[in-house]
């Protein structure tokens, strides 16, 4: 099989379509895989993705297919962008046809709840790929599709993966920085969704910029402590996949997790909100996974604890915020120092 | 391997080492003088050094000081040649081929030279080492792959006896001898040196500190793999001092399999494949346990010294040890792990690499660059890291725990718990508050840990020997006490009435670490 494409993007949700569009705009030979044939046809022929990016005109060069096994062998680089709950199934299907020379990258911000596997670990378990990487950062689809610039980090233990992905996005609106710390980038991308849920609630209750900054800073600290316990480099969390993504996600009402938090603050139950949201708010399952893992690691993460209480233990948002404020304050950054 | 093959390997080793050293006059000069410095320093204290060696280095040094870049490079080449001949020259191809036929007598020779009469007289019921070395695991797959490609066998390392037992296991499986590097001190025991030599060992001199020498050794291993000779080395580098199974491996030698594989693909050789086969060697008692744990405690976290004189250099001690093993009907379990490719994927009996889901993988594709097999240093280092992780996982999965490990772990944990806050070294020396524990406490703990071990074994995360798999706590403790009370200078623990006395806590720490340091048991090596 000849690799006649530059890249295959697997997953036609909002972010997958956005990344594929960016690449198509700069002249890359890219094909997007979409599970549903109808949607694939709409993207391919009419250049619209009404389900996930309503009202957005997609570039003419963007092609789409629903034939995964036909698509994957054609690309030297395969980028998977599907919600974490479907990730393993899609990875396994990709693994049916993927070969060892291909670069396999994902841009999914989440953790597999049942196993606490990071997405790159799932890729290793389900495919023969060794050259794997993760793309992450403050990348809200709506802004990118509106023509605004953004930045991301591509992290891999393999220089070849970093170079390949940087070359693909070279000249596009997405400035792509390189990194080595796969664990840190994956933890950052997943963890910030928990903080975004809390930020949505704090915004909705009008608690002000001081409180918001307090939440984000302490949240970043919890993220870094959690990541370090899993083997990440603390410094990674100062980068685009840590602080960068946290700032964007928590500031923007465009974020699904932020909206979810707002509605929690308005007194809606998690079940109800889930029932009428079309896209998945990754922060909800991530909170369950991270909370359980933090307990297992002996880490005391207050914000995670509070969000978990609201999502899974029937607490109200005001109760959880009151509990957070009742905790002794302790040191500011001491827990982040290397032990 | 014919003498022509050997010559070709030598030429290739020198060529590659010189290529890596490059042509830049400054770096050639640095490499040359570093090497001369290290070697002349070694000669000052090395009792085995010959006057010829000293003269060689004195001459090179005198010349090199005044020489220009070209002559310095030639001098460096002379040193590289000397190193290469020394490493390869110990390997006699005629003997190598004969070895296949000569091995059984050689083993007898090994045992008999030391003390034939005592040996024969003291084995009750005519027991033979043969009956007590069990080789299990993926033996058939290994044999099939040894025909399809070149094997790199990577065993765990706890004792100097490992070399002999693995060589013996290789012979018993009907495989041709493997090439392997063995420390110079191992050759100081004449009969054993002879035996190892005949099984394909080449001599590694750990006193030679020069980087160039290490590069020659590594390259030699790589070139012999390319020449299709099965290789063996201990990827942990040295014997485990703590008693725990290795968790960190030396990447340099491990990477030579991949290096050879890419060279083979580039050269279009007919049997390019290199298969890595992890092996675990599991003893109840370890010959050098006392020396090893002492070294571990002395040097925890620091660089270790080379143990020049241990139990292994005293033939009587070895004989005594073997005798004890035989009279206790103590088995040595050698487990052949699942073969891997040089990227860490499992390989089936047909030589196909499999992905984690068991689907066949075309492994040549991992090293393609622009459609051709190519080296990529950064990528290849990562591949070797993947391989190392797979080898370590295999080590832990195939470690066979035994009664001595379990009993030592249980008693040592009791010691720590009953003496909270007591510094480890003081605990080891003084034994803490109580010199003994009630047997009932020990049995209760033993049962708990045994249940956990059996659960882990059922999940395939580790292995248990017969006694641990089926025995009851009384039988297990009985067997452990019989072993611990028989060979070492003093018993590690002793039963008196209804209490268990801990006597040599270093040994308890050492044997217990095999369990405590196991990945599935939390992986905490003490201290």
């Amino acid at each position: 099989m000849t690799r006649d494409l530059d890249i295959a993007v697997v997953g036609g949700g909002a972010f997958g379509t956005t990344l594929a569009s960016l690449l198509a705009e700069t002249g890359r030979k890219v094909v997007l895989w979409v599970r549903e044939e109808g949607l694939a046809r709409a993207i391919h022929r009419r250049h619209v993705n009404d389900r996930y990016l309503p009202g957005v005109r997609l570039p003419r060069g963007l092609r789409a297919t629903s034939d995964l096994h036909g698509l994957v062998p054609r690309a030297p680089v395969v980028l998977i962008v599907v919600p974490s709950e479907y990730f393993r199934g899609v990875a396994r299907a990709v693994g049916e046809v993927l070969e060892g020379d291909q670069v396999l990258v994902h841009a999914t911000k989440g953790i597999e709840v049942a196993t606490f596997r990071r997405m790159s670990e799932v890729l290793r378990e389900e495919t023969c790929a060794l050259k794997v990487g993760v793309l992450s950062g403050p990348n809200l689809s709506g802004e990118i599709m509106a023509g605004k610039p953004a930045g991301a980090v591509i992290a891999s233990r393999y220089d070849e993966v970093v170079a390949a992905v940087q070359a693909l996005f070279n000249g596009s609106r997405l400035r792509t920085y390189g990194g080595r710390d796969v664990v840190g980038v994956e933890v950052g991308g997943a963890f910030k969704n928990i903080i975004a849920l809390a930020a949505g609630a704090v915004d909705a209750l009008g608690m002000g910029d001081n409180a918001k900054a307090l939440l984000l800073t302490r949240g970043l600290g919890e993220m870094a402590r959690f990541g370090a316990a899993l083997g990440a480099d603390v410094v990674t969390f100062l980068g685009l996949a840590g602080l960068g993504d946290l700032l964007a996600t928590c500031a923007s009402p465009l974020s699904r997790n932020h909206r979810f938090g707002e509605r929690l603050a308005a007194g809606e139950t998690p079940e109800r909100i889930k029932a009428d949201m079309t896209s998945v708010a990754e922060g909800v399952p991530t909170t369950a996974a991270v909370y359980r893992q933090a307990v297992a690691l002996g880490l005391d993460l207050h914000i995670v604890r509070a969000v978990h209480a609201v999502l899974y233990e029937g607490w109200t948002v005001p109760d959880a915020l009151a509990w957070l404020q009742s905790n002794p304050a302790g040191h500011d950054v001491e827990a982040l120092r290397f032990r | 391997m014919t003498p022509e093959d050997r010559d070709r390997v030598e030429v290739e080793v020198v060529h590659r080492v010189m290529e890596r050293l490059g042509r830049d006059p400054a770096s050639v000069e640095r490499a040359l003088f570093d090497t001369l410095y290290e070697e002349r320093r070694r000669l000052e204290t090395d009792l085995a050094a010959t006057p010829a060696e000293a003269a060689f280095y004195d001459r090179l040094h005198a010349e090199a000081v005044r020489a220009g870049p070209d002559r310095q490079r030639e001098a460096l080449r002379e040193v590289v040649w000397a190193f290469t001949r020394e490493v390869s020259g110990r390997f006699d191809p005629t003997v190598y081929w004969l070895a296949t036929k000569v091995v059984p007598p050689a083993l007898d020779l090994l045992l008999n030279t030391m003390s034939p009469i005592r040996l024969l007289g003291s084995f009750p019921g005519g027991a033979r080492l043969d009956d007590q070395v069990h080789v299990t695991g993926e033996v058939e797959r290994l044999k099939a792959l040894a025909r399809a490609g070149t094997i790199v066998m990577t065993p765990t390392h706890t004792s100097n006896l490992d070399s002999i037992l693995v060589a013996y296991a290789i012979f018993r499986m009907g495989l041709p001898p493997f090439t392997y590097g063995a420390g110079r001190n191992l050759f100081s025991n004449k009969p054993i040196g002879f035996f190892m030599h005949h099984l394909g060992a080449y001599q590694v001199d750990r006193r030679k500190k020069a980087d160039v020498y290490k590069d020659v050794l590594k390259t030699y291993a790589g070139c012999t793999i390319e020449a299709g000779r099965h290789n063996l080395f201990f990827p942990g580098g040295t014997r485990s001092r703590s008693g725990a199974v290795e968790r960190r491996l030396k990447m340099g030698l491990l990477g030579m399999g991949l290096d050879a594989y890419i060279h083979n693909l580039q050269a279009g050789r007919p049997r390019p494949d290199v298969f890595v086969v992890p092996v675990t060697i599991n003893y109840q008692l370890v010959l050098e346990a006392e020396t090893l744990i002492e070294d571990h405690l002395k040097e925890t976290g620091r660089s270790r010294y080379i143990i020049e004189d241990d139990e292994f250099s005293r033939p009587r001690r070895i004989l005594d040890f073997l005798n004890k093993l035989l009279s206790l009907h103590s088995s040595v379990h050698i487990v052949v792990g699942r073969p891997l490719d040089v990227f860490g994927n499992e390989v089936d009996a047909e030589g196909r690499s499999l992905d984690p889901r068991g689907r066949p993988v075309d492994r040549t594709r991992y090293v393609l660059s622009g459609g051709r097999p190519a080296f990529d240093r950064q990528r290849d280092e990562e591949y070797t890291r993947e391989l190392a992780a797979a080898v370590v996982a295999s080590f832990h999965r195939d470690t066979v725990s035994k009664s001595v490990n379990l009993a030592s772990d249980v008693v040592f944990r009791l010691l720590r718990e009953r003496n909270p806050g007591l510094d480890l070294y003081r605990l080891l020396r003084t034994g803490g508050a109580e010199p003994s524990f009630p047997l009932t406490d020990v049995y209760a703990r033993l049962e708990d840990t045994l249940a956990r071990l059996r659960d882990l074994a059922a999940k395939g995360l580790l292995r248990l020997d017969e006694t641990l798999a089926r025995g009851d706590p009384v039988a297990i403790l009985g067997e452990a006490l019989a072993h611990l009370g028989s060979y070492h200078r003093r018993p590690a623990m002793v039963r008196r009435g209804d209490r268990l006395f801990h006597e040599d806590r270093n040994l308890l720490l050492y044997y217990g670490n095999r369990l405590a340091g196991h990945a599935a048991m939390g992986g905490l090596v003490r201290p």
Side-chain angles (χ1 to χ4, degrees), chain A residues 54 91 135 172 182 248 267 298 307 320:
Chain A
L135 182 71
S172 78
V182 175
V307 174

PDB file of all heavy atoms in Angstrom, chain A residues 54 91 135 172 182 248 267 298 307 320:
ATOM      1  N   PRO A  54     -21.996  23.354  13.302  1.00  0.00           N
ATOM      2  CA  PRO A  54     -23.109  23.908  12.509  1.00  0.00           C
ATOM      3  C   PRO A  54     -22.766  25.306  11.993  1.00  0.00           C
ATOM      4  O   PRO A  54     -22.179  26.117  12.713  1.00  0.00           O
ATOM      5  CB  PRO A  54     -24.278  23.941  13.509  1.00  0.00           C
ATOM      6  CG  PRO A  54     -23.650  23.829  14.871  1.00  0.00           C
ATOM      7  CD  PRO A  54     -22.386  23.070  14.689  1.00  0.00           C
ATOM      8  N   ALA A  91      -9.073   2.783  18.433  1.00  0.00           N
ATOM      9  CA  ALA A  91      -7.649   2.435  18.373  1.00  0.00           C
ATOM     10  C   ALA A  91      -7.479   0.983  17.926  1.00  0.00           C
ATOM     11  O   ALA A  91      -6.598   0.662  17.120  1.00  0.00           O
ATOM     12  CB  ALA A  91      -6.996   2.654  19.739  1.00  0.00           C
ATOM     13  N   LEU A 135      -1.056  15.446  20.847  1.00  0.00           N
ATOM     14  CA  LEU A 135      -1.195  16.854  20.475  1.00  0.00           C
ATOM     15  C   LEU A 135      -2.200  17.473  21.428  1.00  0.00           C
ATOM     16  O   LEU A 135      -3.311  16.955  21.582  1.00  0.00           O
ATOM     17  CB  LEU A 135      -1.705  16.946  19.030  1.00  0.00           C
ATOM     18  CG  LEU A 135      -1.881  18.345  18.436  1.00  0.00           C
ATOM     19  CD1 LEU A 135      -0.524  18.999  18.177  1.00  0.00           C
ATOM     20  CD2 LEU A 135      -2.692  18.284  17.139  1.00  0.00           C
ATOM     21  N   SER A 172       0.316  26.762   9.127  1.00  0.00           N
ATOM     22  CA  SER A 172      -1.110  26.864   9.456  1.00  0.00           C
ATOM     23  C   SER A 172      -1.292  27.850  10.607  1.00  0.00           C
ATOM     24  O   SER A 172      -0.320  28.386  11.140  1.00  0.00           O
ATOM     25  CB  SER A 172      -1.657  25.503   9.867  1.00  0.00           C
ATOM     26  OG  SER A 172      -1.288  25.208  11.200  1.00  0.00           O
ATOM     27  N   VAL A 182       5.232  13.132  27.431  1.00  0.00           N
ATOM     28  CA  VAL A 182       3.917  12.634  27.026  1.00  0.00           C
ATOM     29  C   VAL A 182       2.973  12.564  28.232  1.00  0.00           C
ATOM     30  O   VAL A 182       1.818  12.982  28.160  1.00  0.00           O
ATOM     31  CB  VAL A 182       4.050  11.249  26.362  1.00  0.00           C
ATOM     32  CG1 VAL A 182       2.686  10.657  26.056  1.00  0.00           C
ATOM     33  CG2 VAL A 182       4.881  11.353  25.087  1.00  0.00           C
ATOM     34  N   ALA A 248      -7.473  28.941  28.642  1.00  0.00           N
ATOM     35  CA  ALA A 248      -8.459  29.029  27.570  1.00  0.00           C
ATOM     36  C   ALA A 248      -9.760  28.343  27.972  1.00  0.00           C
ATOM     37  O   ALA A 248     -10.854  28.893  27.816  1.00  0.00           O
ATOM     38  CB  ALA A 248      -7.898  28.410  26.299  1.00  0.00           C
ATOM     39  N   GLY A 267     -28.108  24.821  39.642  1.00  0.00           N
ATOM     40  CA  GLY A 267     -28.909  23.872  40.404  1.00  0.00           C
ATOM     41  C   GLY A 267     -29.385  22.659  39.625  1.00  0.00           C
ATOM     42  O   GLY A 267     -30.113  21.815  40.157  1.00  0.00           O
ATOM     43  N   GLY A 298      -2.510   8.476  47.333  1.00  0.00           N
ATOM     44  CA  GLY A 298      -2.356   9.162  48.606  1.00  0.00           C
ATOM     45  C   GLY A 298      -2.247  10.675  48.454  1.00  0.00           C
ATOM     46  O   GLY A 298      -1.664  11.346  49.287  1.00  0.00           O
ATOM     47  N   VAL A 307     -15.274  18.812  43.222  1.00  0.00           N
ATOM     48  CA  VAL A 307     -16.006  18.589  41.965  1.00  0.00           C
ATOM     49  C   VAL A 307     -16.615  17.185  41.972  1.00  0.00           C
ATOM     50  O   VAL A 307     -17.755  16.968  41.551  1.00  0.00           O
ATOM     51  CB  VAL A 307     -15.074  18.784  40.747  1.00  0.00           C
ATOM     52  CG1 VAL A 307     -15.788  18.416  39.454  1.00  0.00           C
ATOM     53  CG2 VAL A 307     -14.566  20.220  40.682  1.00  0.00           C
ATOM     54  N   ALA A 320     -20.088  22.598  48.175  1.00  0.00           N
ATOM     55  CA  ALA A 320     -18.725  22.226  47.804  1.00  0.00           C
ATOM     56  C   ALA A 320     -17.785  23.423  47.935  1.00  0.00           C
ATOM     57  O   ALA A 320     -16.658  23.291  48.433  1.00  0.00           O
ATOM     58  CB  ALA A 320     -18.699  21.692  46.374  1.00  0.00           C
TER      59      ALA A 320
END
